[in-house]
Amino acid sequence: AGWSAARSAIAHRSEVRCAACAPRWQSTVASCHSLAGYWHRLVPNKIAGIEIPDPEISEIAGAATHVFEHLGDLGGDLVEKANKVREVVAMARRTAGNCWGTIDTAQDIYDSISQKIEPLGPLFKLGAGGRVDDPTEVARAMATFKEKENRETALEIIGDVLDLGKLLEKLAHVLQGVKAIFQTVMDTCGDIIEAVMDFMSDVAQEFAEALHLDSALEGLEDLFSGIAGVAERMFNIGEVLRPVVEAMKEALEETSWLGKLKEGMEAGMMMATQFGDIKGALTDFWPAWEESQKQYGETRRIGESAEHGASKAWMTFKQLLCQLCKMLNVEVPGGISALDDMARPTVAPRGGFVEEEEFVER
């Protein structure tokens, strides 16, 4: 009778907790759906000739919607609730892993852009080491800019860095979404943790700690502002250089000598009148490029930490589910390895997938 009363009390707390957490779930799900919708519109399929893997955000948004909207219908059945949440934790773990795979792949993009920049050193490195104050370096930069192929490559590079900024920004948003999902899992699964705490406190405590990704994602807000700052600078550089490049392109494409003369004079006049703006834009590129690499390094740190944290959260949740079922003397629905494939990342980092540690029930 005492055990029956205890189970009823746990079930009641579960229903209350689900109702209280509904607004947070809805907000998290809405963010996931919004991000999934914008990903393919804002992030190109290729940057600098490198394919961009899809971190498959839309799947977790759909799964989270289905699970979270029906948690309150389970009537306080902790095992069934834990089994439903297991699906969300598995997909959040895969999403974090896919983010890390995509972030690591971006290193190839940086390497490709660096190779493109190297031959245009006089142009793009004008803002490095005080070169802008050297008339000889300024003259070399302008001479490099006058070459048709160099101008077009310069615009391509600026466009690539802009696209790279969009990619890093979206990946940072995905990681923020994963953090929000784990936080909401923590809020909702408090009753499960409480139930297991008396039976096996170390397992319950490890899971609770694993869900807190604050330390893993420390610096995420600063990363957003840093990425946005680089993107704005690159956009402004492109806005200055693009009209000049287009004008010089039109002059080269003219077929009549009179047309060539007219367009050439106009392009030359634009170069002369906007010399200060062009010089300023080229001067700003190198510091912005170095800042972009710094922000990428920070994205790598956060992405790798999130991947490790999500992996740990998944393994400890499996342990928590095992102990809950053992405590209630029931079988783990579908077996403890039922959703391992769902949790496994599909976007490999450049070095390949790291083999997951084997799960051992305590």
Side-chain angles (χ1 to χ4, degrees), residues 122-134 137-138 141-142 233-234 237 240-241 275-290:
L123 187 67
F124 280 131
K125 294 183 181 181
L126 188 60
R131 296 185 185 188
V132 70
D133 298 321
D134 186 340
E137 293 294 338
V138 173
M142 291 303 169
R233 291 169 74 178
M234 285 296 172
I237 292 169
V240 171
L241 298 182
F275 175 79
D277 291 339
I278 295 170
K279 176 185 171 185
L282 293 175
T283 301
D284 196 35
F285 177 86
W286 194 253
W289 170 240
E290 289 187 322

Side-chain angles (χ1 to χ4, degrees), residues 41-302:
R41 264 190 283 168
L42 296 181
V43 178
N45 294 327
K46 283 185 177 183
I47 300 176
I50 308 296
E51 293 274 355
I52 306 300
D54 183 357
E56 301 176 6
I57 312 162
S58 56
E59 291 188 28
I60 191 172
T65 300
H66 180 75
V67 171
F68 301 158
E69 285 181 350
H70 295 91
L71 277 182
D73 302 334
L74 299 178
D77 185 334
L78 288 188
V79 173
E80 184 61 21
K81 177 180 176 180
N83 189 42
K84 294 292 185 184
V85 172
R86 176 168 59 156
E87 181 179 347
V88 178
V89 176
M91 297 192 78
R93 186 269 172 273
R94 182 173 70 182
T95 301
N98 285 351
C99 274
W100 167 239
T102 305
I103 290 169
D104 189 56
T105 299
Q107 181 64 61
D108 290 337
I109 299 173
Y110 272 93
D111 293 344
S112 176
I113 293 174
S114 294
Q115 289 174 3
K116 286 184 179 180
I117 288 174
E118 197 57 38
L120 302 182
L123 187 67
F124 280 131
K125 294 183 181 181
L126 188 60
R131 296 185 185 188
V132 70
D133 298 321
D134 186 340
T136 303
E137 293 294 338
V138 173
R140 286 181 65 204
M142 291 303 169
T144 303
F145 187 69
K146 287 180 180 179
E147 296 292 329
K148 175 178 179 292
E149 186 177 343
N150 292 343
R151 291 195 303 272
E152 293 178 353
T153 302
L155 282 186
E156 283 179 13
I157 290 170
I158 292 167
D160 287 340
V161 178
L162 263 174
D163 286 340
L164 199 51
K166 294 175 187 176
L167 174 65
L168 296 185
E169 182 184 17
K170 294 308 155 193
L171 287 168
H173 277 294
V174 174
L175 292 174
Q176 192 175 51
V178 170
K179 175 184 175 182
I181 285 171
F182 279 126
Q183 179 60 54
T184 321
V185 167
M186 178 65 188
D187 292 343
T188 305
C189 289
D191 47 357
I192 300 173
I193 294 172
E194 289 169 12
V196 176
M197 187 65 77
D198 292 335
F199 182 71
M200 189 168 276
S201 61
D202 58 337
V203 171
Q205 188 64 35
E206 283 177 17
F207 176 63
E209 291 174 357
L211 286 176
H212 288 293
L213 296 183
D214 291 343
S215 58
L217 297 179
E218 186 180 357
L220 197 56
E221 293 302 322
D222 291 338
L223 180 63
F224 281 126
S225 60
I227 291 171
V230 171
E232 183 179 4
R233 291 169 74 178
M234 285 296 172
F235 178 81
N236 291 337
I237 292 169
E239 287 292 285
V240 171
L241 298 182
R242 190 168 289 105
V244 179
V245 172
E246 290 299 322
M248 297 181 80
K249 182 179 179 182
E250 289 175 7
L252 289 171
E253 289 176 349
E254 273 291 337
T255 55
S256 68
W257 69 269
L258 187 59
K260 282 184 178 292
L261 179 63
K262 177 176 176 294
E263 294 292 342
M265 288 179 64
E266 290 179 358
M269 185 67 70
M270 183 178 288
M271 279 280 289
T273 57
Q274 296 186 18
F275 175 79
D277 291 339
I278 295 170
K279 176 185 171 185
L282 293 175
T283 301
D284 196 35
F285 177 86
W286 194 253
W289 170 240
E290 289 187 322
E291 181 64 22
S292 175
Q293 294 178 85
K294 176 184 173 183
Q295 298 303 330
Y296 173 64
E298 185 65 5
T299 305
R300 284 187 65 90
R301 181 192 67 77
I302 293 175

